[in-house]
């Protein structure tokens, strides 16, 4: 049987979240963002479940895209960071990947490429994220350049929000205005919205929306839970108690002796630690569910284990299931106890955890 740390992944919830997103962006094609191993859920397994339900997939680089073709995914796939060397343009055109162009080198590689078939292209423009993309003033000239290459029509323009999770952030209006000006005379494919913007700025849904986090059932909107937006978490992170101990008042628990029992009390040891991707740094009272009863972590999280204060559930027994996050214990809440983001927590789950789709 081995260790009991498991990430239970729910297909029904994944497709439910997709429906919620489609309802929010009924006129837009969906590019499902599955970069970074589908936010820790498994690149191939997630894509296979979404295939046929979405217009395309978004990945970081060509190796992720090729892995999807290997398992039989024939849908459109977009390389969000474009190609890293000229040879990748040839593979991309052979495999029918769409390619994002965000720097001048990439454009000159395309100008000099000998492709067998026209390439699907997106021009990435920086409207205020300050990460990838051309300056808005350069965009028209670059569109012209791209259109003179061996490319499919229509061309695409995409940009990305920096602060869409905070609806009232002033930077959003700036970016929206920049994008509107940019596409004023552009008849091609337009895309700017990530998950947060789909909920906060539906007027910017345009032709293609690019949800990531919301697909996995986690709220992209600051200060809300997924359930507030009718989303359902895809991942439940779970393990079990491998020891139930009775500690005396004054006993220390864990490395560094950071917790001392204030009274005689039951303490559970769960098989989940930072070596599984569970955050080591969290407040002493981060909640977990032992047999669906809310208890708190105590002491420092170890590599393979962590301790739980079982006073809220004294009848607890060896083998009881412990939920770290899931429908009954929102990841958004755990994030707030750890100073981490839900994105980061999902991506951190390690492959030694067993991944099981239901
Ligand atoms: C990751 C990413 C997205 C998806 O973002 P979420 O906040 O997870 O919805 C969309 N667009 C780009 C360019 C991205 O890198």
């Amino acid at each position: 049987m081995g260790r009991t740390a498991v990430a239970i992944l729910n297909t029904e919830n994944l497709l439910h979240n997709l429906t919620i997103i489609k309802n929010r962006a009924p006129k837009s094609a969906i590019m499902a963002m599955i970069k970074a191993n589908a936010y820790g859920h498994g690149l191939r397994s997630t894509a296979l479940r979404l295939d046929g339900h979405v217009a395309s997939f978004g990945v970081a680089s060509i190796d992720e895209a090729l892995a999807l073709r290997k398992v039989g995914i024939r849908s459109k796939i977009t390389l969000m960071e474009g190609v890293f060397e000229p040879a990748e343009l040839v593979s991309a055109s052979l495999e029918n990947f769409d390619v994002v162009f965000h720097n001048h080198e990439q454009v000159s590689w395309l100008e000099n490429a000998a492709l067998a078939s026209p390439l699907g292209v997106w021009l990435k423009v920086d409207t205020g994220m300050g990460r990838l993309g051309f300056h808005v003033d350069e965009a028209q000239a670059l569109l012209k350049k791209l259109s003179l290459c061996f490319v499919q029509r229509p061309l695409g323009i995409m940009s990305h929000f920096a602060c869409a999770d905070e609806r009232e952030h002033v930077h959003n209006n700036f970016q929206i205005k920049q994008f509107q000006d940019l596409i004023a005379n552009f008849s091609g494919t337009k895309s700017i919205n990530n998950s947060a913007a789909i909920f906060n700025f539906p007027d910017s849904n345009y032709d293609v929306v690019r949800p990531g986090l919301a697909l996995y059932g986690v709220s992209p909107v600051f200060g809300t839970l997924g359930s507030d937006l009718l989303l359902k978490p895809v991942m439940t992170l779970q393990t079990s108690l491998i020891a139930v101990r009775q500690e005396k008042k004054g006993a220390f628990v864990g490395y560094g002796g950071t917790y001392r029992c204030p009274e005689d009390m039951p303490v559970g040891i769960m098989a989940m630690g930072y070596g599984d991707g569970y955050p080591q740094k969290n407040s002493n009272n981060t909640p977990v569910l032992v047999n669906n009863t809310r208890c708190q972590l105590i002491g420092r999280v170890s590599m393979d284990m962590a301790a739980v204060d079982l006073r809220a559930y004294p009848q607890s027994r060896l083998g009881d299931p412990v939920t770290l996050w899931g429908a009954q214990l929102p990841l958004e809440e755990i994030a707030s106890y750890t100073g981490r983001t839900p994105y980061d927590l999902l991506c951190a789950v390690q492959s030694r955890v067993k991944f099981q789709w239901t």
Side-chain angles (χ1 to χ4, degrees), residues 154-316:
L155 274 61
I157 287 188
M158 71 163 68
S159 192
H160 192 48
F161 279 108
C163 310
D165 56 326
E166 293 182 63
R167 197 212 301 257
E168 307 306 329
H169 200 295
V170 290
H171 199 43
N172 292 316
N173 291 334
F174 174 78
Q175 286 199 262
I176 288 169
K177 177 77 169 58
Q178 293 270 99
F179 195 70
Q180 284 171 348
D181 292 349
L182 182 69
I183 60 170
N185 297 309
F186 178 69
S187 58
T189 312
K190 304 175 254 312
S191 175
I192 186 168
N193 276 7
N194 61 355
S195 299
I198 292 166
F199 289 91
N200 281 340
F201 307 111
D203 290 345
S204 299
N205 281 338
Y206 296 112
D207 304 303
V208 177
V209 293
R210 310 190 306 263
L213 193 65
L215 273 176
Y216 307 101
V218 179
S219 173
V221 176
F222 187 76
T224 69
L225 297 176
S227 53
D228 298 330
L229 307 174
L230 307 178
L231 300 169
K232 298 180 181 179
V234 173
M235 184 189 292
T236 301
L237 186 65
Q238 204 173 286
T239 186
S240 63
L241 293 180
I242 56 169
V244 174
R245 304 153 57 81
Q246 299 301 322
E247 297 289 4
K248 291 281 181 215
K249 179 178 178 179
F252 290 105
V253 176
Y255 284 121
T258 60
Y259 184 85
R260 203 157 184 199
C261 296
E263 58 183 329
D264 291 3
M265 60 187 272
V267 172
I269 305 297
M270 66 174 187
M272 175 74 71
Y274 64 81
D276 299 296
Y278 191 80
Q280 184 178 30
K281 289 221 165 42
N282 59 69
S283 65
N284 240 332
N285 50 6
T286 303
V288 299
L289 301 178
V290 180
N291 236 348
N292 293 323
T293 304
R294 215 175 152 100
C295 297
Q296 295 182 344
L297 288 188
I298 51 176
R300 243 187 233 169
V301 172
S302 302
M303 191 179 288
D304 304 333
M305 291 171 271
V308 185
D309 175 354
L310 290 175
R311 284 176 293 177
Y313 189 62
Q315 64 272 49
S316 183

Side-chain angles (χ1 to χ4, degrees), residues 33 35 39 80 124 131 160 194-196 210-213 343:
M33 300 306 293
K35 63 199 189 206
Y39 292 45
M80 301 303 291
K124 176 89 176 239
R131 193 174 63 180
H160 192 48
N194 61 355
S195 299
R210 310 190 306 263
L213 193 65
Y343 294 91

